[in-house]
Structure formats: C-alpha cells, structure tokens
C-alpha cells in the first residue's frame, strides 16, 4: 500500500468525516466514550461498519487489522461463530427478564470454577460498576473509608477513582474530573505502581479499607508488576487489615484462565472482571471471599443493584467465550501470536533506528517510544506521545488500527494470524520510518 497523502486522506475517509460531523452535532465529542474521539492523536475517528475475525471495516470500505478489539473483550476476534449462535438462541427465547435465569448461574459457576479466589460472584454491567461496588463492599466490611490506588491505573469513572486515572484521562491531560466532590477524592490515596515504600507508608499512615490495583497495568500502556511487587502488597494488606482488590477487568480471562492472579500466584480478597467475561456485550462482575460477598444485598446490607445485570444476551456471549477459551488451545495461540508481534515490532523499530521499549503479558502488549524502561505512570508520561501520534496515524493509513492513545494496550485475538502480522509489520516499517524522520 503506497503512502497516503493529505488529499488521499480526504477521499479515503470521506464518509467517516461526514459521519463524525453528524455525530459531533448530537453527542459530546461525537462518541460514546472519550478515548474514541481521537483527540490525543489529532485525527478524525473512522466510523466502523463491521468486524470479522481480526479485522474491522469502516464505512468507506477501508479494512484494518484490529488491535483495539473493543479495548479487550474480543479475545476470539470479531463475530466468533459459537458466541453468535449462543446469542441467536437467546434472541429467539427472550433477551431480558429482570428475573433469574440459568444462564447467570452457568456463567457464575464457570467463573467460580476458574478463579479459586472467587467463592461468589455478582454480575453488573460495566467495569466501573464492578470496581465501585467492590470498593463499597470493602468499606462496609472493614468499617473504613479510605482507599489506595496507583497513579496511572484506571478503574472506571466512579467518583472516588477519577483521580489521575490512566487511560483516557491521562491522554486528555485531565488529572481528575470536575464535578467530583473534593471530600470524595480526599479519601483516595495515590501511590506509584511498582513501588513498595510508598505503599508501606500509605498503609501505615492511613486506615485503608482497600488497595485496588490492576495486577498488570493496562491503562498507562501495558506495564507488568515487577518481581514480588504483588506478593509484597498482599503481605502489607494482611498486616494492616486492608482488603486487596484486583481489578482484572482487562486482564481477567485474557492473560490466563485463572486471570492475572494465577500467573503471579496471589489471592486477592475481591476480584473485578469485565471485557472478556462478557465477550463484547455489556457485562462485568465482582466476586471474592464468601464472608465478604454474603454482605452484598439481599444476603447482607451492602446495597448494589442493576436492571440489566446478568442480562441473558450478555451471559450467553460471556459463557460461550469462556467455554471456547477453556476448551481449545486459545491461550497457546494468543501467547504465540503475541510473542511474534512483540518481536517483530522491536526488530522493525530497531532497523528504523527508533528507540522503543516493549512489554508483554500473553496477548497484552505495550509499545513505548522511550529509550529507557517503563515501570510506572511517571515513566509512561515521559514517553514521546508525539511519536506515538505519528506512528498511530501512519498505521491507520496503512490498514492497521490501534488505540488512539499512547496509554492503552495492544490486544491480539485468536484470529490474528501470520497474514495479519504481515500487514502489521509492513505498515510498521512505514510508521517507524515516519517517526525516524520527525
Ligand atoms: P468500563 O466501565 O469502561 O466497562 O470499565 C472500566 C475499567 C475498569 N478497570 C480497568 C482495568 C479498565 O481497563 C477499564 C476500562 N478500560 C478502558 C480502556 N483502557 C475502556 C475504554 C474506554 O474508556 O472507552
């Protein structure tokens, strides 16, 4: 594919440009979630018409190898047949009741069987709800109000967590959102990721209800925990009577059947799930120790509710996704393709003379425009976001679509094959060349 000039862009993206103008007239930023607006990369977002396996197609007919995958849920690629079939059955028998269904118990049982730390689970509709509810439960169980989170980790947009969140907020340079009452965020203590002394200090100096963390940070780029970091947090939480909440909304069932906690052999008190657990439908969950979960209404006094929680369509999609993941060689495939992608990108960047730092845990990959390691938020924001924007833009024009932010994670699916990598690497050669020429 030859270089695309500015003029070409006008023709290549004509319908998306028109669609975005209309969308901006009727929706803030023309989007349903801020990061999708492409503000951080200085482009107009493409409007998507369809997805198929590892690709998406925009309304101008441009086909892209997709490393966004709906920001993680589509681990089996777009429109996997088993999930489509499972959902079509539900479509014929009823897709919402506001009453119990066996599908909920089937997915709940699958989660409980796969994650030893989860004795009971409650479904909700978003990762935000899952983490917000887990924190409320932790506050009730410990009779403490304060929580700890890491700078750069993102746990959804509930008030007490919208404090220097990662993901969109970091990209948009909004350290914390207007409209969040100061007294709410006063109870949130921020510590750097991958740093023990600050965690020790924060726990010792405050009565902390819960330390909530992404075990593998995915909202400041992909940053794995350093050796013994998570175990030390576990030990410190035990010492101070603080509950450890693993936000596995992104990592849950993506990096392993037993989630990230099984890779690092840590037992959190509560686990939050999302994305993959719903297979791309609005579904998330929180779960954990029975003594804690029995405090959730109606068993206990901790209130949490949701009209569409446990929705049959989402349950069918999630159950089919996990069944496929657990009964095939999916994780081996994801490891292989993720490894090939990381190695290929590193080589192409090196050949182009562009310093990059890469990270990877299974099918979660991080690419930082930095000539030094990235272990926390401070390292991540020091990376060259202008270079990322150039890289993103050339990749888009060459048929590879990435998250429009240097603070997101690349995701691969079981459908990303060698042909997809070939397109990716050809595009990356041009993209790194453009970065080198900056
Ligand atoms: P939702 O409320 O967006 O379903 O989940 C919030 C959330 C919680 N925890 C983690 C670790 C997350 O990554 C997320 C959401 N992730 C972002 C992408 N990094 C969602 C994309 C978006 O905001 O549009």
């Amino acid at each position: 594919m030859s270089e695309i000039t500015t003029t070409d862009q006008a023709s290549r993206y004509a319908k998306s440009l028109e669609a975005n103008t209309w969308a901006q007239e009727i929706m803030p930023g023309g989007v349903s979630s801020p990061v999708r607006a492409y503000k951080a990369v200085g482009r107009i977002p493409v409007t998507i018409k369809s997805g198929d396996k590892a690709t998406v197609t925009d309304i101008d007919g441009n086909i892209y190898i997709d490393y966004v995958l709906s920001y993680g849920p589509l681990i089996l690629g777009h429109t996997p047949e088993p999930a489509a079939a499972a959902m079509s059955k539900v479509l014929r028998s009823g897709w919402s009741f506001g009453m119990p269904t066996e599908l909920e118990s089937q997915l709940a049982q699958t989660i409980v069987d796969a994650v030893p730390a989860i004795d009971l689970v409650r479904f909700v509709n978003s990762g935000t709800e899952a983490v917000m509810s887990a924190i409320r439960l932790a506050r009730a169980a410990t009779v403490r109000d304060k929580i700890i989170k890491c700078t750069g980790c993102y746990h959804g947009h509930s008030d007490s967590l919208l404090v220097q969140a990662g993901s969109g907020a970091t990209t948009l340079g909004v350290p914390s959102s207007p409209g969040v009452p100061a007294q709410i965020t006063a109870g949130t203590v921020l510590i750097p990721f991958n740093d023990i002394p600050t965690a020790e200090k924060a726990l010792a100096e405050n009565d902390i209800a819960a330390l909530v963390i992404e075990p593998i940070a995915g909202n400041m780029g992909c940053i794995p925990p350093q050796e013994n970091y998570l175990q030390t947090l576990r030990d410190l939480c035990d010492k101070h009577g603080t509950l450890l909440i693993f936000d596995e909304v992104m990592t849950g069932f993506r990096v392993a059947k037993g989630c990230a906690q099984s890779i690092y052999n840590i037992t959190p008190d509560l686990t939050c799930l999302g994305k993959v657990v719903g297979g791309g439908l609005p579904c998330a969950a929180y779960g954990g120790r029975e003594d804690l979960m029995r405090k959730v209404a109606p068993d206990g006094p901790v209130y949490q509710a949701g009209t569409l929680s446990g929705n049959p369509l989402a349950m069918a999609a999630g159950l089919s996704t996990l069944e496929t993941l657990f009964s095939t060689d999916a994780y081996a495939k994801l490891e292989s393709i993720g490894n090939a992608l990381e190695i290929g990108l590193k080589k192409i960047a090196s050949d182009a003379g562009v310093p990059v730092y890469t990270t990877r845990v299974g099918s979660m990959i991080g690419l930082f425009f930095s000539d030094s390691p990235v272990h926390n938020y401070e390292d991540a924001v020091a990376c060259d976001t202008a270079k990322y924007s150039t890289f993103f833009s050339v990749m888009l024009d060459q048929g590879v679509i990435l998250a429009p932010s240097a603070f997101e994670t690349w995701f691969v699916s079981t459908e990303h094959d060698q042909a997809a990598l070939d397109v990716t690497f050809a595009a990356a050669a041009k993209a790194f060349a453009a970065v080198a020429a900056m």
Side-chain angles (χ1 to χ4, degrees), residues 32-36 70-72 125-131 153-157 166-168 213-220 247-251 272 274-275 283-284 407-409 411:
S32 298
S33 196
V35 68
R36 304 179 195 173
S70 184
Y71 288 92
N125 298 284
S126 70
T128 294
E129 266 192 279
V131 180
C153 283
Y154 178 67
H155 304 290
H157 61 89
S167 187
I213 191 166
E214 295 176 60
I216 302 162
N219 287 285
M220 40 179 155
D247 176 353
E248 296 225 40
V249 166
M250 186 183 288
T251 56
C272 302
K275 297 180 190 275
C283 170
F407 303 102
E408 295 291 351
T409 293
F411 299 108

Side-chain angles (χ1 to χ4, degrees), residues 111-119 258 261-262 267 288:
I111 293 166
V112 165
D113 291 347
V115 187
I118 298 180
D119 298 331
Q261 54 196 268
S262 69
T267 302

